[in-house]
Amino acid sequence: MKIPLLFALVPSENKLKSSNSPPSEELIGKLVDQYGDDVLRLAYMYLRDRQLAEDAFQEVFIKVYKKYHTFRKDSGEKTWLMRITINVCKDMLRGFWWKRVKTTFLPEQPDDQGTPEQLVTARDANRRLWEEVLRLPPLLKDAVILYYYEEMETPEISQVLGVPEGTVRSRLHRARTALKTNWKGGD
């Protein structure tokens, strides 16, 4: 899926490239092509609204454009973009206007295989699981979303969240335990 960039990439007034000069349109286009779907999906999972996710998508790439010179390259571009996306989404969630928005989102729907009753049961289970994930404390929720829904490995999650790998594994374990407990309690 392609999302058009709604902001204009304005070249620097200074014709000489400096360490603070903005990246080229070509580089931003490459990042959007390569990681745009991941950014949009992650924003959608956090914000649970397509329009808000698209707004976050735009904000992420505006920040990348303005701050690319701060990218230290000690992690991958995807890791850096995921961290920016999480921060943008958290900023949006903290905003006053967000408290009035009520939306629902299911990250994945079950395959259309099986009887209608099986499909309804699978969709209900998927919805209930997603609701339980959303109820997790933010530190656990971040790890679960990145691991299970973004399919990132623990070393990459470690870089995105800025914590040791052992902390990521611990958070995933605590999240699984909480989800199992909540799941059994709801039956």
Side-chain angles (χ1 to χ4, degrees):
M1 165 194 327
K2 293 255 186 207
I3 304 287
L5 290 176
L6 298 178
F7 59 91
L9 298 177
V10 180
S12 173
E13 289 179 17
N14 181 357
K15 300 290 182 197
L16 299 173
K17 289 287 183 188
S18 70
S19 62
N20 290 344
S21 66
S24 67
E25 268 190 67
E26 185 179 315
L27 176 61
I28 295 294
K30 177 185 149 255
L31 292 173
V32 169
D33 289 344
Q34 198 165 6
Y35 305 114
D37 288 343
D38 295 326
V39 167
L40 186 60
R41 183 175 41 253
L42 183 58
Y44 194 44
M45 291 180 140
Y46 268 87
L47 302 171
R48 297 175 286 162
D49 179 273
R50 182 156 180 91
Q51 294 295 52
L52 294 174
E54 289 175 357
D55 289 347
F57 175 94
Q58 293 295 322
E59 184 65 25
V60 166
F61 284 101
I62 288 170
K63 285 183 184 279
V64 167
Y65 177 73
K66 290 179 178 177
K67 298 290 186 173
Y68 192 80
H69 67 276
T70 67
F71 177 48
R72 294 186 309 251
K73 297 180 179 44
D74 56 349
S75 65
E77 288 174 333
K78 181 179 180 181
T79 302
W80 187 57
L81 285 167
M82 295 296 105
R83 180 74 254 162
I84 294 170
T85 304
I86 289 170
N87 288 338
V88 165
C89 290
K90 285 182 177 181
D91 288 346
M92 291 175 79
L93 288 170
R94 277 188 219 113
F96 174 73
W97 58 269
W98 174 257
K99 293 178 177 137
R100 296 187 210 164
V101 177
K102 300 261 187 206
T103 59
T104 58
F105 164 68
L106 295 176
E108 290 185 26
Q109 295 298 320
D111 294 334
D112 289 337
Q113 297 177 357
T115 66
E117 294 83 16
Q118 290 170 329
L119 290 173
V120 168
T121 302
R123 283 189 184 116
D124 283 346
N126 189 34
R127 179 191 50 76
R128 187 167 157 229
L129 178 60
W130 181 244
E131 288 171 357
E132 291 299 328
V133 167
L134 293 177
R135 285 189 191 106
L136 290 171
L139 296 176
L140 303 182
K141 180 173 51 176
D142 290 349
V144 168
I145 288 173
L146 292 172
Y147 187 80
Y148 289 103
Y149 295 98
E150 286 300 317
E151 299 177 349
M152 295 174 86
E153 298 294 326
T154 54
E156 198 171 10
I157 296 169
S158 167
Q159 290 182 334
V160 168
L161 299 179
V163 297
E165 286 182 49
T167 302
V168 172
R169 288 190 293 274
S170 172
R171 288 178 184 175
L172 288 170
H173 175 74
R174 289 176 22 221
R176 286 184 203 110
T177 301
L179 290 169
K180 285 178 191 174
T181 300
N182 294 344
W183 192 264
K184 289 178 185 175
D187 285 339

